[in-house]
Amino acid sequence: YHTVWQSRNMLHVVLIKTLLYTGVRVSELIKIKISDVDFTRCQIRIIEGKGKKDRIVPFPNTFKEILAIHADSIQNKGGNYLFESSWKKPYTDRGIRKILAQYTQAAGMDHSISPHKLRHFLFTWLKKQRIEDALIQPYSGHESRQSLEIYSKLSIGDAQKEYDTVIGKFPV
């Protein structure tokens, strides 16, 4: 993210933060219209996400102002989509992936960061914060809580830290 911030390309900053904060799939991101964003409730309505299902995803209150400024800028240019080109066409899946690849390369990373990795990062982080699956599931768009197990796979290092923290309380 530091490389994105250093670029001072605020469109890219907002785009990547939207992916990070909401966990939306890239196919959902490119279909978000400005009218789908509820700035009062800090929520975005995802229409016909994976499996043709609608859902609501939150975003942090601290992100509301910059997202609103971005949306106003798009609307003032006659745009409808939250992320669209200067030709008033929604960004494409491929275009978003190219943006991420550009920053991955600029950061000197070996492997490209995909939109799905950002989604995975959010849901793994939420699990590490001990957020219940029942609360994550509606936002993730997963069919069942069982589908969230992928985000529970913590590294052995994380597991060791947790173990070391609690083993002192073991009753034997």
Side-chain angles (χ1 to χ4, degrees):
Y1 176 76
H2 181 70
T3 303
V4 180
W5 175 247
Q6 280 185 317
S7 76
R8 296 298 193 255
N9 183 327
M10 293 313 289
L11 170 62
H12 292 174
V13 169
V14 172
L15 186 147
I16 291 169
K17 278 190 167 190
T18 302
L19 285 168
L20 278 168
Y21 288 150
T22 64
V24 296
R25 297 172 179 94
V26 71
S27 60
E28 298 166 338
L29 179 81
I30 61 177
K31 291 193 266 178
I32 297 172
K33 292 186 175 179
I34 294 170
S35 59
D36 296 331
V37 183
D38 183 337
F39 294 101
T40 305
R41 290 190 174 118
C42 295
Q43 297 175 335
I44 299 173
R45 186 176 56 247
I46 302 301
I47 299 171
E48 290 193 5
K50 189 173 181 181
K52 301 282 187 209
K53 293 188 177 164
D54 296 354
R55 71 179 192 284
I56 304 288
V57 296
F59 58 86
N61 190 51
T62 55
F63 185 54
K64 174 172 42 177
E65 190 172 301
I66 192 169
L67 190 60
I69 290 168
H70 168 75
D72 284 347
S73 171
I74 296 292
Q75 275 187 317
N76 290 340
K77 295 174 189 169
N80 293 314
Y81 289 90
L82 191 58
F83 298 104
E84 61 183 40
S85 70
S86 53
W87 300 288
K88 296 180 185 47
K89 300 269 190 214
Y91 273 24
T92 62
D93 180 307
R94 188 170 176 222
I96 303 275
R97 289 176 192 281
K98 282 177 83 173
I99 290 167
L100 290 174
Q102 167 191 337
Y103 288 112
T104 301
Q105 185 178 12
M109 298 170 72
D110 293 334
H111 301 288
S112 188
I113 298 286
S114 69
H116 197 78
K117 283 183 185 173
L118 298 179
R119 175 179 163 80
H120 186 86
F121 178 76
L122 171 69
F123 294 129
T124 300
W125 184 85
L126 289 172
K127 292 285 290 179
K128 285 182 179 182
Q129 304 310 302
R130 302 194 189 325
I131 304 293
E132 294 291 325
D133 287 353
L135 298 173
I136 297 172
Q137 183 194 346
Y139 296 134
S140 72
H142 283 290
E143 187 74 26
S144 68
R145 288 187 210 167
Q146 210 170 15
S147 303
L148 296 174
E149 285 180 16
I150 187 171
Y151 305 117
S152 296
K153 308 272 190 271
L154 301 177
S155 71
I156 191 69
D158 291 330
Q160 185 67 45
K161 286 179 206 164
E162 283 295 313
Y163 177 83
D164 291 344
T165 301
V166 299
I167 194 65
K169 300 174 191 165
F170 194 65
V172 176

